[in-house]
Structures are given as C-alpha cells and as structure tokens.
Amino acid sequence: MENMTILEMNNKHLEEKIRTVTPQELSAEITDLEFIGGGSFGKVFRVKLSDGRTAAVKAFRRQGANKEEALQLRALSANTSVTMPEVFFTYNDNSVALMGMSFIEGKNVLDLSFLLKSKAKKKQFAEAVIDGMNEWHSVTGEY
C-alpha cells in the first residue's frame, strides 16, 4: 500500500479538479459532468467530452488507491474475457487521487425492470456473474 493519506471527498472540490485535470489528460473539453455514485472507496462521475466520448472519472478516498486499481483493471482486462473499463489516466496531487477510464453502460440489478425478469433470466445473469468472478480470481501473480 503506497500511502494511507485520506483525501477530501467534497463534490465541489472534486468537480473542480475533474474539470481541470480531465481536459488536460484526454485532450477534449468537458461538456457535461454528473455525479453517478460512490461508496467507501470514493466517488464516480460521468464525464461527457467535446469529442463525443463519455468517460468515468473515479475520485479515491485514499491517496495511491487509483494507481493500485489501474494496475488491477489492466491485469484483469489482459487476462480475462470480462469486459473491463480501459484506464485512460491516473492523476495525483496533494488533495486528490483520480482515475479516468472508459464509461461502460450498465444496469442496476435492483431496478424494477430487472426484478420483474423471469427466474430463468435471473439465473442466467447470476451464472454469468459467477463465471466472470471465477475468471477474475484466476488472475494471480505480479501484474
């Protein structure tokens, strides 16, 4: 573990940093920035860019966690068939740890449309998740 420094998670601060760093790293202006979720790790923002791309920018609560996760995502992407986001950049300064990556559309399994699916469809989904997790757990060693 590189550093245990805990960082500020104030949305205004994070949005200002994302608006400064992302255009420099991705060579495109931000046309829309939206907070889409978070948890114990930090927060995630959807970023729409002037060149038509959509990215996800994750702000981490702990300094260095962005570099650790970037290594893990690259290793999983190279060694499994599970769709993983492409890491575009990592950025650190004394107040923020960011990782920019491709945005992958998803569905919330707690959404009513998923909950109303047939038992067979839910089972099929669960089996696909288990297969993916088994692939993830098969990746070992240095990456």
Side-chain angles (χ1 to χ4, degrees):
M1 222 179 283
E2 180 182 307
N3 188 331
M4 287 302 294
T5 302
I6 304 302
L7 299 167
E8 174 64 44
M9 286 287 106
N10 173 283
N11 275 14
K12 184 177 180 198
H13 169 73
L14 294 175
E15 288 175 6
E16 287 172 4
K17 284 293 191 173
I18 291 168
R19 288 187 185 282
T20 301
V21 172
T22 303
Q24 294 170 357
E25 295 288 341
L26 298 181
S27 301
E29 295 304 311
I30 293 174
T31 60
D32 190 44
L33 176 64
E34 178 186 4
F35 171 73
I36 58 172
S40 61
F41 62 86
K43 296 183 176 184
V44 180
F45 297 80
R46 179 178 20 236
V47 179
K48 292 186 180 178
L49 300 165
S50 59
D51 62 7
R53 290 181 291 169
T54 300
V57 178
K58 194 170 185 178
F60 291 80
R61 190 174 305 281
R62 184 179 54 80
Q63 194 66 269
N66 58 336
K67 293 180 181 181
E68 293 169 8
E69 185 165 318
L71 281 172
Q72 293 165 356
L73 286 173
R74 288 177 175 132
L76 290 169
S77 182
N79 295 290
T80 70
S81 64
V82 179
T83 302
M84 303 301 295
E86 177 187 355
V87 177
F88 297 143
F89 69 87
T90 59
Y91 173 86
N92 294 76
D93 67 20
N94 63 351
S95 70
V96 74
L98 302 174
M99 179 176 63
M101 60 193 142
S102 58
F103 182 81
I104 299 174
E105 283 291 338
K107 299 214 185 256
N108 182 344
V109 297
L110 298 178
D111 183 83
L112 185 59
S113 64
F114 180 81
L115 295 174
L116 294 176
K117 290 191 181 292
S118 70
K119 188 173 182 177
K121 290 282 186 190
K122 289 178 190 172
K123 184 177 181 195
Q124 182 182 18
F125 173 80
E127 288 171 351
V129 169
I130 291 167
D131 288 345
M133 292 179 72
N134 284 333
E135 280 193 61
W136 289 347
H137 289 288
S138 71
V139 179
T140 60
E142 290 297 315
Y143 44 85

